[in-house]
Amino acid sequence: MSAVLLHGDVQASADGSRGGVGWSAIGAPAGMDELVGLVVRRLLLADEVAAAKLADGRPIDDPARERRLLDAVAAESARAGLPPEDGVRFFRAQIEAGKRVQRGLHARWRAHPELRPRRHADLATEIRPRLDRLTPRLLRLLKETAPVRASVGRCWAASAAARLDVEARTGLDRLHRDALDAALVPLCARSGRARQGMPGS
C-alpha cells in the first residue's frame, strides 16, 4: 500500500491535566499532536477496510453501522463532558474521510489489479474492533484539546503544526492527504457550547 503505518503511539499530553494540554517539541499542543496522529491512524485503517470490502463484495457505504457508531459517539461524548454534537460532527467527518480513501483505493485497484492486496484481515473480527478502540481515545483528546480549539486562530495553528509533525513521520500519498484535510475540518469549528455562549466560548 502507498501509505506507511504509524509505529507506536503518538506522544500523549505532557501534563495529563483536564484543564489544558502540554506542548510538544514541535510547538503544537501535545494533545493536538496525538489527536491528529490518531486521525491518521484511523485513516490508514481505511486501507484495510477497503481491501476487506473489495474481497467480500461489500459496498463502501454502510448506513446502519454508521448510525450505530454516531449514536454511540453521542452517548460517549455526553459521558465524557463533551457536547454530543461536537463528537458526532467530528466522527461524521472521520467516516466520510475513511470512505473517500476506500473509494479511491477501489478505483485504483480496479484500474491496476496488480496493486490489489493479496491478503486482507477480517472486517468484523479484526479491523472494526481496532477502529472501535480508537473511538474513546479520540473523544478524550477532543475534550482535552477544547481550550486550544476554542480559539479558531490558535486551533488552526496548532492543528497545522501537528499535521506537519505527523506527515513527517508517515508516507501519506495524495489520496490520504486529501482525506486528512476532510477529517480535520471539524477540529476548529465552533463547539456547541461556544455557539450557545456558554463559559469557555
Side-chain angles (χ1 to χ4, degrees):
M1 295 183 185
S2 56
V4 178
L5 291 176
L6 291 169
H7 297 286
D9 291 334
V10 183
Q11 178 66 39
S13 299
D15 61 5
S17 66
R18 296 178 62 87
V21 291
W23 291 76
S24 69
I26 60 167
M32 187 70 81
D33 193 29
E34 184 181 8
L35 178 56
V36 174
L38 289 183
V39 167
V40 171
R41 186 183 296 276
R42 196 179 194 282
L43 275 179
L44 294 177
L45 283 172
D47 292 37
E48 298 188 42
V49 174
K53 286 183 176 179
L54 188 63
D56 296 342
R58 301 189 190 204
I60 289 173
D61 290 287
D62 189 346
R65 173 170 167 80
E66 292 171 19
R67 183 70 261 163
R68 288 194 301 271
L69 173 59
L70 293 177
D71 287 346
V73 163
E76 192 158 352
S77 295
R79 288 193 296 270
L82 183 72
E85 63 268 31
D86 290 0
V88 168
R89 182 173 60 249
F90 176 77
F91 266 88
R92 187 173 284 119
Q94 306 318 300
I95 291 168
E96 293 305 317
K99 291 194 293 186
R100 179 180 294 196
V101 169
Q102 293 174 52
R103 292 188 186 102
L105 289 176
H106 280 198
R108 182 183 300 171
W109 294 336
R110 289 189 175 111
H112 302 281
E114 71 278 7
L115 300 178
R116 180 174 172 174
R118 296 183 179 180
R119 300 178 182 178
H120 66 89
D122 185 80
L123 184 60
T125 63
E126 298 178 70
I127 305 171
R128 283 179 173 163
R130 291 163 66 191
L131 286 167
D132 291 342
R133 284 194 292 271
L134 293 178
T135 300
R137 297 172 65 187
L138 286 162
L139 290 174
R140 173 181 59 82
L141 287 164
L142 277 178
K143 171 67 173 175
E144 287 184 5
T145 56
V148 175
R149 295 187 298 103
S151 165
V152 174
R154 188 180 179 208
C155 179
W156 280 114
S159 61
R163 176 174 178 157
L164 286 173
D165 179 52
V166 171
E167 287 189 345
R169 295 181 281 113
T170 59
L172 298 184
D173 62 8
R174 177 64 180 269
L175 173 63
H176 291 80
R177 291 197 306 271
D178 288 347
L180 182 58
D181 283 340
L184 295 181
V185 166
L187 277 186
C188 299
R190 287 172 63 83
S191 71
R193 286 200 175 102
R195 288 192 300 273
Q196 297 166 24
M198 296 178 69
S201 64

